[in-house]
Amino acid sequence: MCFEAKRLFRLALGPVLMLLSAATMAAGGEVSSFNMSPGVTAVGKEIYSLHMIIFWICTIIGVGVFGVMFYSIYAHRKSKGAVAATFHESTKVEIAWTIIPFFILIGMAFPATTTLLKIYDNDEADMDVVVTGFQWKWKYEYLNEEGENVSFFSNLRTAQDEIYNTTEKGEHYLLEVDEPLVLPVDTKVRFLVTGNDVIHSWWVPELAVKKDAVPGFINEAWTRTTVEGIYRGQCAELCGKEHGFMPIVVNVVSKEEYAQWLAEKQGEAAQIKDLMAQTFSMDELMERGKATYERSCLACHGASGEGGVGTAIAGSAVATGELAGHLNIGINGVPGTAMQAFGSQLNDVDMAAVITYQRNAFGNNMGDMVQPIDVFNHKKG
Amino acid sequence: MGDHHHGPAKGIGRWLFTTNHKDIGTMYLWFSFAMFIMGGFFAMVIRAELFQPGMQLVEPAFFNQMTTLHGLVMVFGAIMPSFVGLANWMIPMMIGAPDMALPRMNNWSFWILPPTFLLLASTLFMEGGAPAFGWTFYAPLSTTYAPPSVTFFIFSVHVLGLSSIMGSINIIATVMNMRAPGMTYMKMPLFVWTWLITAFLLVAVMPVLAGAVTMMLMDIHFGTSFFSAAGGGDPVLFQHVFWFFGHPEVYIIILPAFGVVSQIIPAFSRKPLFGYDSMVYATASIAFLSFIVWAHHMYTVGMPVAGELFFMYATMLIAVPTGVKVFNWISTMWRGSLSFETPMLFSLGFLVLFTIGGFTGLMLSIAPADFQYHDSYFVVAHFHYVMVAGAVFSMTAAVYYWLPKWCGKMYNEAMGKTHFWISFVGFNLAFFPQHFVGLAGMPRRIPDYALQFADFNMMSSIGAFIYGASQIMFLYNVIATIVSGKPTSEEKVWDGAEGLEWTIPTPAPYHTFETPPKIDSAHAHS
């Protein structure tokens, strides 16, 4: 209860704090729990000061308007013997309170326009990252002029146990991912944002970027990283069941660290290529398949293949039917439904493993195995 | 003139077959209150789940169904029909007409509503659950990825549109043709003016909404690709069409509320409305501007910068006529002789909180800043300030204001005032902190949230429960008034009230103004 009381006290303090510390916030660059983040980018800071300017203009007008109103409520009450005047209409006054707000608005429009033009200045980016929204994860692809593109998915890392309150929630509850987007510092990064299924929205408050990820469209946004650090955000557009569970983590590191990370990623990609040529045992496939299933299938098909948004896998005609049909659905999806084409999302090793897993788990004991080469051949047709 | 004094029919038939504007108004009001309770119940589920971080009561999929139905039921079931009910009761009595111009259509436009909402609510029990794509139902979440119940949702929206269009045509026809001799347009009470303009907005945009859902229906069942990029369609087109309806829609909700407070504030200030003409012009300007600002809901969708600038400037302009209205209300109070009965309290609550909602609206209009505000709880806070403290508070004020005239009995003033203060505190506790979490980065429509948002969310939930509970007091007060309120037969229940409705007996007889009244300047625009 002591904890609760302390919390309520802090709650009551919130509004007061917002007004008091607005000025100090601008300098700080820290994450506030009650005001917009000034962020770490030049544009972000500009948006923040624009926000505060408009806020203060509104506050001043509000104090004036409510001041007059409350004075009237205080002084012109019938119970104090106030006798109503009879005046009404005054063209002069009406013109004044039409014209003056109009000029205040023009005053607001100037800084708003300059900031907006900066947000739209996508030119001369140092690097490009394609951001693709999936139900319910993000995919990042680095467009490299030399060497292979690096691409990976970024999934929520918070455990189900934390979400369903069976264990203590971590510090970055719901704002942590398995693989963050890594960016070099002091770089103008252009984001090419698109959606794979429904509309998502990529939002990192401290980088001052929010852009809708619309299927069939590629939207541009940019940021210039200035300070190394970890920045967290979330999907901002309702995208279905797990909309609240697809966070964004951006890790801004030094240029050297970034180069090293990139080389590592490219190495991993090469490794996967090697793996694709190998043949795996049933146990290896099942183990890898389980991990892939939990990452990519569980949200729709359930933890024990019981179904949900998607159809049940346990005992399904597909998973217990002909192998080619099963592979086809995994790779190409089912058009017009929420079942996506996973051929582009999973590498051939993971695809082989997860199909094997689906055919041999949840009581589907089919006993057959899929090897990466089978997936490769199926894709080739 | 043989059956001059006949009263209402007996039994259930009175309500099923009635063409009487007062009966239909009453049914609209009760129906909208029932929907208010239902939508409120959905809101309580939402706030209970958000009371603490983590998933406790419902699953994410069900949470989305709750947010969707809460929005749909409140907008289309509670707020809009409540103002139509008020229009039915008051417009004929305010312009000296015996009834609405098209009484049979009036009956129909009400009676198609209850089955429609029954259908919409029944989707909760269908396979795949109720619609879960938000009240804005953006494609393709509402088409390719929608639950099967979406088809029932589409049908509901079609019928709701039908009802609204019929209601609006009726209001336009009544106001244009049935004013008493001498009741010129510029003598009409402001409530009539705001409703006339609202009705034109409805007739203009409801077909657009019908078009949007029809295209959805085609995409889902007939293989077209209006909104599917894979087939050459455009998901962003859906948003343009939706908001071309949706933005005027928010003024459809708020303009009649403006009309109500424009009646009540002068009555309890005992002073005529300051700047009647400018109020009419401001209403018309807001209505016009509402058609050219729709894409300010879509700043982050990837519009070209020229489009962003146009919609930003146009949106900022709305502050001018809205400001004119607020200044006029306050000038009306200035040097009046104010008293603070329940209707006045709710009107003043409206004035303060709607103005705050107006300020946040202005902030949201600033496109660069909106890149941070968009789809955050800041938006949720903003539109609840204008929808709840705006529309619902003004509707509540209207009920307290005209209830004695309707039933000839006085409500319990002390309980009314208590209802106001609990509502006021509960509302602000619920929605003010949402500004903070929104600015701090909490997206809207999420069933669970990061730990730094926990304090304000708990506060918000407590406020929502208080606000919700206070409505039970309202219901009790209204029923107690009807059943056993202190009878009053004064024609003018409020000493400062002006207008034709206060010249007829109290309670208002079943038929009024069978012969048109004589309009003298004293009764003109209260």
Side-chain angles (χ1 to χ4, degrees):
Chain A
M1 277 325 281
C2 177
F3 167 73
E4 291 297 312
K6 239 161 77 187
R7 207 160 144 191
L8 283 174
F9 178 69
R10 273 194 288 141
L11 287 180
L13 233 61
V16 185
L17 279 174
M18 177 179 179
L19 293 172
L20 288 182
S21 64
T24 51
M25 281 289 307
E30 63 203 288
V31 179
S32 160
S33 62
F34 49 82
N35 197 3
M36 186 190 284
S37 159
V40 293
T41 61
V43 168
K45 291 201 166 77
E46 214 169 282
I47 290 175
Y48 174 79
S49 58
L50 186 63
H51 154 71
M52 289 314 290
I53 289 169
I54 311 281
F55 169 74
W56 283 116
I57 293 175
C58 289
T59 307
I60 291 163
I61 298 173
V63 167
V65 169
F66 294 146
V68 173
M69 192 186 99
F70 283 114
Y71 178 77
S72 184
I73 288 175
Y74 164 76
H76 306 141
R77 47 206 310 159
K78 192 175 170 230
S79 57
K80 288 175 76 176
V83 179
T86 52
F87 67 84
H88 61 96
E89 272 171 88
S90 155
T91 313
K92 274 184 206 159
V93 174
E94 298 279 358
I95 289 174
W97 68 38
T98 308
I99 299 285
I100 294 170
F102 185 72
F103 281 107
I104 296 176
L105 290 176
I106 290 179
M108 291 176 175
F110 275 108
T113 306
T114 39
T115 308
L116 189 66
L117 292 176
K118 282 184 195 164
I119 292 177
Y120 270 79
D121 177 21
N122 292 323
D123 295 341
E124 290 170 28
D126 303 321
M127 62 181 282
D128 292 313
V129 179
V130 181
V131 177
T132 312
F134 283 76
Q135 278 183 326
W136 290 275
K137 54 194 170 256
W138 295 98
K139 182 189 176 192
Y140 301 114
E141 183 166 13
Y142 295 69
L143 301 183
N144 290 329
E145 279 162 24
E146 302 143 29
E148 297 235 6
N149 287 352
V150 164
S151 95
F152 56 89
F153 282 86
S154 182
N155 297 282
L156 176 74
R157 205 184 60 193
T158 305
Q160 293 286 310
D161 288 347
E162 288 179 51
I163 295 170
Y164 286 91
N165 311 306
T166 47
T167 174
E168 186 84 355
K169 293 179 178 27
E171 188 193 352
H172 298 297
Y173 176 67
L174 294 187
L175 297 179
E176 51 199 348
V177 296
D178 53 359
E179 273 201 79
L181 175 70
V182 179
L183 296 176
V185 76
D186 293 323
T187 306
K188 182 167 178 176
V189 186
R190 188 166 58 156
F191 301 107
L192 302 166
V193 187
T194 186
N196 176 66
D197 31 54
V198 300
I199 300 174
H200 306 263
S201 188
W202 199 77
W203 181 25
V204 183
E206 287 173 282
L207 300 180
V209 176
K210 182 186 284 145
K211 208 70 177 178
D212 289 1
V214 185
F217 288 76
I218 296 173
N219 281 329
E220 289 182 27
W222 67 274
T223 194
R224 180 176 283 283
T225 55
T226 50
V227 184
E228 289 177 32
I230 294 173
Y231 307 107
R232 297 168 198 276
Q234 283 179 273
C235 176
E237 181 66 61
L238 177 64
C239 56
K241 181 165 82 74
E242 308 283 315
H243 162 55
F245 304 95
M246 49 180 292
I248 296 149
V249 179
V250 181
N251 192 2
V252 176
V253 298
S254 68
K255 287 189 168 158
E256 298 75 50
E257 214 176 314
Y258 172 74
Q260 202 184 348
W261 172 86
L262 193 67
E264 245 170 61
K265 275 280 157 196
Q266 282 165 333
E268 268 175 44
Q271 234 177 0
I272 290 284
K273 259 194 183 157
D274 287 344
L275 285 179
M276 284 190 194
Q278 291 179 25
T279 307
F280 293 87
S281 73
M282 187 67 163
D283 287 346
E284 283 169 332
L285 286 170
M286 287 298 278
E287 192 190 336
R288 197 177 184 104
K290 185 167 191 293
T292 309
Y293 182 86
E294 279 164 6
R295 210 168 58 233
S296 301
C297 317
L298 186 143
C300 295
H301 293 286
S304 28
E306 73 275 18
V309 171
T311 53
I313 287 177
S316 84
V318 174
T320 59
E322 218 181 310
L323 180 62
H326 193 175
L327 262 175
N328 184 42
I329 286 177
I331 291 168
N332 299 319
V334 183
T337 72
M339 178 61 200
Q340 304 161 3
F342 279 90
S344 58
Q345 299 185 33
L346 300 179
N347 61 51
D348 293 355
V349 184
D350 286 341
M351 178 62 79
V354 82
I355 299 282
T356 308
Y357 179 71
Q358 289 181 0
R359 298 179 77 78
N360 293 290
F362 321 129
N364 286 352
N365 305 314
M366 294 297 289
D368 48 5
M369 268 195 284
V370 186
Q371 294 296 340
I373 186 72
D374 301 330
V375 178
F376 181 80
N377 287 337
H378 189 97
K379 278 183 178 170
K380 261 179 87 182
Chain B
M1 304 287 274
D3 54 355
H4 188 93
H5 290 292
H6 80 100
K10 296 271 176 278
I12 186 80
R14 165 179 177 181
W15 303 105
L16 282 178
F17 308 118
T18 184
T19 52
N20 180 289
H21 72 100
K22 299 186 183 78
D23 279 354
I24 294 172
T26 303
M27 290 194 296
Y28 262 113
L29 290 172
W30 277 113
F31 172 75
S32 62
F33 192 80
M35 290 299 106
F36 184 56
I37 296 294
M38 182 162 98
F41 179 74
F42 297 149
M44 295 300 111
V45 174
I46 295 169
R47 283 317 323 172
E49 178 54 56
L50 292 175
F51 188 69
Q52 283 187 318
M55 300 304 301
Q56 285 92 13
L57 300 171
V58 297
E59 287 298 310
F62 188 74
F63 182 90
N64 288 345
Q65 297 173 26
M66 288 291 103
T67 54
T68 305
L69 288 180
H70 167 69
L72 290 170
V73 167
M74 286 305 199
V75 168
F76 294 103
I79 298 179
M80 288 173 70
S82 72
F83 281 111
V84 179
L86 202 59
N88 259 293
W89 253 102
M90 300 319 297
I91 288 179
M93 278 160 54
M94 284 176 159
I95 60 172
D99 205 310
M100 297 295 280
L102 308 161
R104 287 196 173 83
M105 193 164 88
N106 204 11
N107 173 297
W108 197 40
S109 63
F110 170 75
W111 273 113
I112 59 178
L113 283 182
T116 308
F117 277 94
L118 207 62
L119 182 72
L120 190 62
S122 73
T123 57
L124 273 171
F125 307 100
M126 291 178 187
E127 197 175 332
F133 31 66
W135 87 277
T136 52
F137 50 100
Y138 281 7
L141 189 61
S142 63
T143 52
T144 315
Y145 295 83
S149 62
V150 65
T151 308
F152 294 90
F153 156 82
I154 290 171
F155 184 67
S156 305
V157 172
H158 271 136
V159 181
L160 295 178
L162 201 65
S163 165
S164 289
I165 291 171
M166 288 193 295
S168 316
I169 290 174
N170 209 348
I171 286 166
I172 294 171
T174 307
V175 174
M176 287 192 153
N177 298 301
M178 303 202 33
R179 280 168 290 126
M183 173 65 81
T184 61
Y185 280 110
M186 290 311 272
K187 279 185 182 170
M188 293 193 311
L190 255 170
F191 178 72
V192 181
W193 253 119
T194 53
W195 240 119
L196 179 64
I197 292 170
T198 302
F200 275 106
L201 287 181
L202 274 167
V203 171
V205 300
M206 274 300 167
V208 178
L209 177 67
V213 292
T214 306
M215 286 188 270
M216 280 169 60
L217 188 75
M218 300 300 283
D219 273 8
I220 294 167
H221 293 293
F222 301 100
T224 56
S225 304
F226 289 103
F227 306 131
S228 155
D234 180 353
V236 178
L237 172 70
F238 175 85
Q239 298 182 25
H240 281 294
V241 179
F242 177 83
W243 287 113
F244 190 85
F245 147 79
H247 200 76
E249 168 70 20
V250 306
Y251 292 97
I252 286 164
I253 286 169
I254 204 66
L255 291 184
F258 287 169
V260 167
V261 290
S262 301
Q263 303 299 128
I264 294 176
I265 289 180
F268 294 94
S269 303
R270 294 166 182 81
K271 190 164 154 281
L273 185 68
F274 189 88
Y276 170 90
D277 293 13
S278 73
M279 285 296 239
V280 173
Y281 300 141
T283 310
S285 321
I286 292 174
F288 169 74
L289 287 172
S290 77
F291 282 107
I292 55 167
V293 297
W294 75 88
H296 67 210
H297 298 270
M298 303 162 55
Y299 283 145
T300 64
V301 88
M303 256 189 301
V305 69
E308 298 260 326
L309 288 172
F310 171 79
F311 286 108
M312 175 169 79
Y313 297 150
T315 307
M316 291 170 78
L317 269 185
I318 295 184
V320 174
T322 313
V324 167
K325 288 195 155 286
V326 172
F327 299 142
N328 269 309
W329 287 320
I330 290 175
S331 307
T332 305
M333 291 163 63
W334 188 254
R335 290 183 53 210
S337 173
L338 304 175
S339 60
F340 304 95
E341 288 84 352
T342 312
M344 183 62 161
L345 285 180
F346 272 100
S347 299
L348 293 177
F350 163 93
L351 190 49
V352 173
L353 301 178
F354 174 78
T355 304
I356 293 174
F359 286 141
T360 52
L362 181 60
M363 292 170 80
L364 284 160
S365 77
I366 307 293
D370 185 72
F371 275 90
Q372 295 282 35
Y373 306 140
H374 180 76
D375 267 329
S376 77
Y377 255 85
F378 189 76
V379 177
V380 178
H382 158 73
F383 71 70
H384 281 94
Y385 265 76
V386 291
M387 296 272 150
V388 182
V392 178
F393 270 33
S394 115
M395 190 62 219
T396 316
V399 170
Y400 281 116
Y401 183 59
W402 281 300
L403 187 63
K405 172 57 75 181
W406 294 338
C407 66
K409 289 170 189 166
M410 199 62 199
Y411 63 86
N412 182 329
E413 189 67 63
M415 199 190 291
K417 286 181 175 171
T418 315
H419 171 216
F420 168 74
W421 284 110
I422 297 178
S423 288
F424 187 83
V425 170
F427 171 83
N428 283 293
L429 195 60
F431 294 106
F432 207 72
Q434 295 186 357
H435 291 111
F436 299 144
V437 284
L439 291 175
M442 178 167 161
R444 63 190 286 207
R445 293 165 164 166
I446 55 174
D448 194 6
Y449 47 82
L451 300 179
Q452 69 263 35
F453 308 127
D455 290 353
F456 286 131
N457 269 291
M458 184 180 282
M459 196 166 157
S460 188
S461 290
I462 294 170
F465 299 146
I466 294 173
Y467 180 76
S470 77
Q471 303 315 315
I472 297 166
M473 188 183 279
F474 179 42
L475 179 65
Y476 175 81
N477 202 351
V478 170
I479 292 175
T481 307
I482 295 168
V483 174
S484 59
K486 206 175 108 214
T488 171
S489 58
E490 268 182 81
E491 284 172 9
K492 225 167 133 173
V493 180
W494 311 105
D495 63 310
E498 293 290 341
L500 286 176
E501 77 266 33
W502 306 108
T503 64
I504 55 172
T506 299
Y510 197 56
H511 294 289
T512 42
F513 296 127
E514 288 147 299
T515 47
K518 239 184 97 196
I519 310 296
D520 55 47
S521 57
H523 293 138
H525 60 75
S526 58

